[in-house]
Amino acid sequence: VELTGRYDMVEAAPRIRAEALAAPALSFLLDGAAVRRVRIPLLIAWAERDSVVREPYNVRWLLKALRTSPTVWMVRGAGHYAFLAPCGPELAAVVPALCSDPPSVDRISLHARLNSAIVRFFDLALARAASGSSRRSEDRDGRGLQSIRRRP
């Protein structure tokens, strides 16, 4: 696959009123004008030490291109695959790169907190969409995903 040029985005689907992205990839291939037309609340979670989806061409590119202010969480110390579900021993034996995290990252805790944060995000965003409010959706409890680290 040749990764050149820009990819047009389809027109906005009115039924989609909010979106959550985890480790978005190849953002720099999107048409910047189309990204600037995005008006729905976005939650973008990304891994600080992602060696698969490298910055500044993904989340940072999106943040520059967007006209809105999405809710953005960086998972400190995590790599790209931390967003995959925790692996069982059989899978970990076959593809250890997908299943291992740095000692500072507890994938089970990460997913529990990420799942709760995503539900809160959608609850707020969809309630605001239903009421006609244009305020951005955000997690106001101050516990964002930046604090997720395994405790010593």
Side-chain angles (χ1 to χ4, degrees):
V1 174
E2 191 172 325
L3 299 178
T4 60
R6 295 279 182 217
Y7 292 85
D8 294 329
M9 295 171 58
V10 295
E11 290 302 312
R15 64 184 175 80
I16 298 176
R17 291 180 264 148
E19 192 167 330
L21 311 172
L26 304 175
S27 302
F28 65 96
L29 293 177
L30 299 172
D31 175 50
V35 173
R36 284 188 290 281
R37 289 193 305 268
V38 171
R39 296 288 183 260
I40 61 173
L42 296 174
L43 179 149
I44 303 173
W46 62 295
E48 178 183 41
R49 298 194 177 169
D50 195 328
S51 61
V52 175
V53 176
R54 296 187 184 259
E55 293 302 333
Y57 306 106
N58 291 292
V59 172
R60 289 187 177 123
W61 185 92
L62 280 174
L63 294 176
K64 285 182 182 178
L66 287 165
R67 286 191 176 164
T68 60
S69 296
T71 298
V72 179
W73 287 323
M74 177 190 30
V75 183
R76 295 208 183 277
H80 184 74
Y81 300 114
F83 293 109
L84 296 177
C87 300
E90 298 84 16
L91 185 58
V94 176
V95 283
L98 299 182
C99 300
S100 56
D101 298 303
S104 64
V105 177
D106 177 348
R107 195 179 294 199
I108 293 171
S109 173
L110 165 64
H111 280 258
R113 300 218 16 229
L114 179 62
N115 293 345
S116 293
I118 289 171
V119 168
R120 281 192 313 270
F121 167 79
F122 280 116
D123 283 347
L124 287 168
L126 297 177
R128 288 187 179 128
S131 72
S133 172
S134 62
R135 288 180 49 210
R136 106 176 189 188
S137 175
E138 58 186 297
D139 179 3
R140 295 187 185 278
D141 69 6
R143 291 182 305 145
L145 297 177
Q146 291 184 359
S147 64
I148 294 179
R149 292 181 152 254
R150 180 176 287 153
R151 304 289 188 255

